[in-house]
Amino acid sequence: MITEKKRKQLKKSLIIISVIAAVVLAFSIFVHLFLEEKIKNTIVNKLNEQLNTEISVEKIDLKLFRDFPFASVRFYQVEAKEVIPNSIKNNLFEAENVYLQFSILDIFSGNYQIKRIECQNAYIKATVFEDGTDNYHFWKEQSDSTLTEEKKSFNLQKIIFKNTSIFYYNYQKKEEVSARIDELYVKAQFGETLYDIEADGNVFINKIQVQQNNFLPNQTLRFSFNISVDSEKGNYEIKQAEIALQKMQFLLDGSFLWNANNKTVDLNIEGDNIDISKAIESLPFAYKNLLSTYSAQGMLLFKINIKGNFDNPEFRASFAIENGSFEEKTKKIALNKIKIEAEYINAAATKNKDILSVKHLSAFLEENPIKASFNINGFKKAEIECEVEAKMDLSLLKEFLANEQIEELSGIMDIQFKYSGSCDIKNLKARDFLCSNTSGYLSLQDLDFKHKDYKYCLLYTSPSPRDRTRSRMPSS
């Protein structure tokens, strides 16, 4: 039962709500009747002051409470021309809706500051031409850095993109990017000297093509990051960054400097428990196709550090595979129990040559054990040290390789081999072995080998135990 006291409180609350609603309604009617055109014209003028390009809009209206406590000027069917000297220009930007948002309180002061921008169902086509010029520098440089906070037209704090297609082509470097931003939210105090950028978004990548390689085709990329910015010094510190690609998780941290005097980077990238099959799916087609006859399992771990000048940074990477496997899909022959520990350092980091070091590699071709380790110093005139130990049924190797050029391969191979020397990897010659430190043995029993490109086959039977020493490779 409602008491008299509660009835009075309810009545008072209803009166307050009704008064607030009446004030809001009256305010809304007043603004739309007397101020809407003035507000729209002011916002359009402020926008034109900042742009280097032509804009066409089908319709403009005012939305007072759509994004409360912000009011919005909504632009319908927006088109912006590319920024080039030609008389005939294509569209750089198209959007079904663009919202420029400002504080409702700005209506009382008459000083409108755009704090948020939202684009919906948009299209961006950016281009870098053969001579290095581009078509997308549409925003005017701020000529007067002494403007007070009150006089600034834009004081951006948040940018939102929804369902926005991006096309980028660089004729100089033969690079192409095609992607769709499903959702992207960027928060920052862009007008300040020191500020943080927080971003969170989902992007569907159609392709990232560099020369003839197409990276991440038809992949969904999710990311979030927090970056501290010192715009005066051009310093950017990545406090936290996470990227998810095909259920693969990557962590980033570090910093980079970008100003007139310095362009340097110090970036760490880490991937933990990356599914090998997912990683292969993300490779360019040319590389992925090489592995298309295999199904892969296992986990990849890696750490990458990129440090130094952007033009030629030092690059260090270490990676490992635990309990991996590759199975030939048709014959079901598997290379399993794969374990790899490896490291790569580029020439900029070593001050000499690139180094690839596989400290440990072990696996089983079905039940046949394989062990190896190698170190390659330089890739042109390479200095190589390697050790290989394996014993296997070569017919299994033929089935696993699934190479149509190999018509026959069978027999038993037993090898224990050490090599230390230098050679041109792309142009191996006999003298590379004759002038090297080579030791070990190779035993082939009942070998039968036939290749499509050869007009003969090779039949070989391992020597008897008495003559076995003759088959050993001499040490030099």
Side-chain angles (χ1 to χ4, degrees):
M1 185 175 180
I2 301 176
T3 63
E4 186 64 25
K5 184 177 180 181
K6 287 184 178 180
R7 188 179 289 108
K8 288 181 179 180
Q9 288 177 342
L10 181 59
K11 185 178 180 181
K12 185 177 179 180
S13 298
L14 289 173
I15 291 172
I16 292 172
I17 292 171
S18 299
V19 169
I20 292 173
V23 170
V24 169
L25 180 61
F27 173 72
S28 179
I29 293 172
F30 175 79
V31 169
H32 282 288
L33 286 177
F34 301 104
L35 297 177
E36 181 171 357
E37 289 303 316
K38 181 181 178 182
I39 293 171
K40 290 192 295 186
N41 290 335
T42 302
I43 295 298
V44 169
N45 289 336
K46 286 180 177 291
L47 181 61
N48 285 331
E49 288 173 1
Q50 303 294 328
L51 296 177
N52 281 323
T53 189
E54 307 164 34
I55 298 283
S56 63
V57 179
E58 185 179 284
K59 178 184 169 185
I60 304 173
D61 64 19
L62 179 66
K63 301 291 183 183
L64 274 181
F65 301 110
R66 173 187 177 270
D67 302 290
F68 187 84
F70 293 92
S72 300
V73 173
R74 179 181 180 181
F75 296 81
Y76 296 79
Q77 304 303 330
V78 180
E79 293 183 359
K81 296 296 182 182
E82 58 184 344
V83 187
I84 56 175
N86 302 9
S87 57
I88 299 175
K89 302 178 181 181
N90 296 316
N91 286 340
L92 167 66
F93 174 81
E94 298 174 14
E96 185 178 306
N97 298 300
V98 175
Y99 296 87
L100 301 185
Q101 301 173 11
F102 56 92
S103 172
I104 284 182
L105 297 178
D106 290 351
I107 294 173
F108 299 99
S109 66
N111 179 42
Y112 302 97
Q113 290 189 338
I114 308 304
K115 294 188 175 179
R116 295 183 176 187
I117 297 177
E118 180 178 337
C119 297
Q120 296 177 349
N121 304 324
Y123 169 97
I124 300 169
K125 188 176 181 181
T127 306
V128 176
F129 302 103
E130 289 282 3
D131 61 0
T133 61
D134 62 64
N135 73 338
Y136 50 82
H137 276 78
F138 63 90
W139 201 259
K140 289 181 180 177
E141 293 291 334
Q142 186 65 58
S143 57
D144 188 357
S145 60
T146 63
L147 285 177
T148 62
E149 194 69 26
E150 291 74 20
K151 290 184 178 180
K152 288 181 181 178
S153 301
F154 282 75
N155 185 15
L156 284 180
Q157 298 173 6
K158 192 171 187 178
I159 300 174
I160 301 170
F161 287 95
K162 294 182 179 179
N163 191 30
T164 298
S165 296
I166 296 177
F167 298 90
Y168 168 82
Y169 195 85
N170 188 319
Y171 286 94
Q172 237 186 10
K173 298 182 178 180
K174 302 295 185 291
E175 296 171 347
E176 183 179 357
V177 176
S178 172
R180 184 190 70 245
I181 300 174
D182 295 322
E183 286 187 316
L184 173 61
Y185 298 87
V186 182
K187 291 174 61 178
Q189 297 287 343
F190 289 103
E192 303 296 327
T193 301
L194 301 173
Y195 59 93
D196 285 354
I197 299 177
E198 295 179 22
D200 187 86
N202 296 334
V203 178
F204 180 80
I205 299 171
N206 295 308
K207 67 176 176 179
I208 299 176
Q209 187 162 324
V210 180
Q211 302 296 333
Q212 300 302 316
N213 293 319
N214 185 9
F215 296 89
L216 309 180
N218 303 317
Q219 305 284 328
T220 298
L221 184 70
R222 296 178 177 85
F223 60 89
S224 64
F225 60 77
N226 187 326
I227 300 177
S228 288
V229 178
D230 183 338
S231 59
E232 192 173 277
K233 295 179 180 179
N235 190 48
Y236 303 82
E237 181 185 351
I238 303 172
K239 291 182 176 179
Q240 179 183 359
E242 295 183 10
I243 297 175
L245 177 69
Q246 289 276 43
K247 297 182 179 179
M248 298 182 289
Q249 202 80 17
F250 305 94
L251 302 177
L252 291 82
D253 66 77
S255 63
F256 57 94
L257 189 65
W258 189 276
N259 57 40
N261 300 318
N262 291 293
K263 292 178 176 63
T264 58
V265 62
D266 187 356
L267 179 65
N268 298 304
I269 307 171
E270 184 175 340
D272 193 7
N273 291 326
I274 303 299
D275 189 319
I276 293 175
S277 62
K278 299 294 184 185
I280 292 172
E281 281 298 312
S282 302
L283 292 173
F285 176 79
Y287 300 105
K288 183 169 62 176
N289 193 48
L290 292 174
L291 300 170
S292 61
T293 58
Y294 302 95
S295 58
Q297 291 183 342
M299 292 298 172
L300 168 69
L301 299 87
F302 71 86
K303 292 182 180 180
I304 295 173
N305 175 254
I306 305 170
K307 186 175 183 179
N309 292 322
F310 269 94
D311 292 339
N312 186 28
E314 298 176 8
F315 184 94
R316 293 177 171 86
S318 60
F319 57 94
I321 293 176
E322 288 285 346
N323 199 27
S325 72
F326 281 85
E327 183 181 69
E328 202 281 326
K329 293 177 181 177
T330 305
K331 302 295 184 180
K332 303 298 182 182
I333 303 298
L335 185 68
N336 50 46
K337 297 181 182 177
I338 300 171
K339 183 178 180 181
I340 299 176
E341 295 176 12
E343 181 180 42
Y344 170 74
I345 306 174
N346 74 347
T350 64
K351 313 302 182 190
N352 189 4
K353 296 180 179 180
D354 299 278
I355 293 177
L356 175 61
S357 175
V358 177
K359 300 174 183 177
H360 177 87
L361 187 157
S362 62
F364 286 82
L365 183 61
E366 293 299 312
E367 301 302 321
N368 298 251
I370 303 168
K371 290 183 181 180
S373 64
F374 60 85
N375 191 79
I376 301 176
N377 191 343
F379 293 122
K380 191 173 182 181
K381 187 64 175 176
E383 298 172 10
I384 301 175
E385 293 182 2
C386 71
E387 293 185 27
V388 179
E389 184 179 342
K391 186 174 183 179
M392 69 175 66
D393 183 342
L394 293 176
S395 62
L396 289 176
L397 181 62
K398 177 183 180 296
E399 300 290 349
F400 178 75
L401 293 176
N403 188 328
E404 294 180 355
Q405 299 299 311
I406 301 175
E407 293 182 340
E408 297 288 343
L409 180 60
S410 62
I412 303 297
M413 180 182 73
D414 186 3
I415 183 172
Q416 194 172 56
F417 171 70
K418 289 184 180 182
Y419 173 87
S420 177
S422 60
C423 64
D424 184 345
I425 296 177
K426 293 183 179 180
N427 187 25
L428 290 174
K429 296 180 180 178
R431 68 184 181 192
D432 295 329
F433 294 91
L434 295 173
C435 300
S436 65
N437 256 337
T438 307
S439 64
Y441 65 84
L442 170 64
S443 172
L444 296 169
Q445 183 178 351
D446 301 325
L447 174 65
D448 184 359
F449 175 70
K450 185 178 180 181
H451 195 279
K452 276 188 176 181
D453 291 342
Y454 301 142
K455 295 181 181 179
Y456 55 87
C457 63
L458 177 64
L459 300 174
Y460 178 82
T461 302
S462 177
S464 66
R466 183 182 58 182
D467 298 325
R468 184 172 295 276
T469 53
R470 298 180 186 175
S471 69
R472 292 180 180 271
M473 301 176 202
S475 299
S476 58

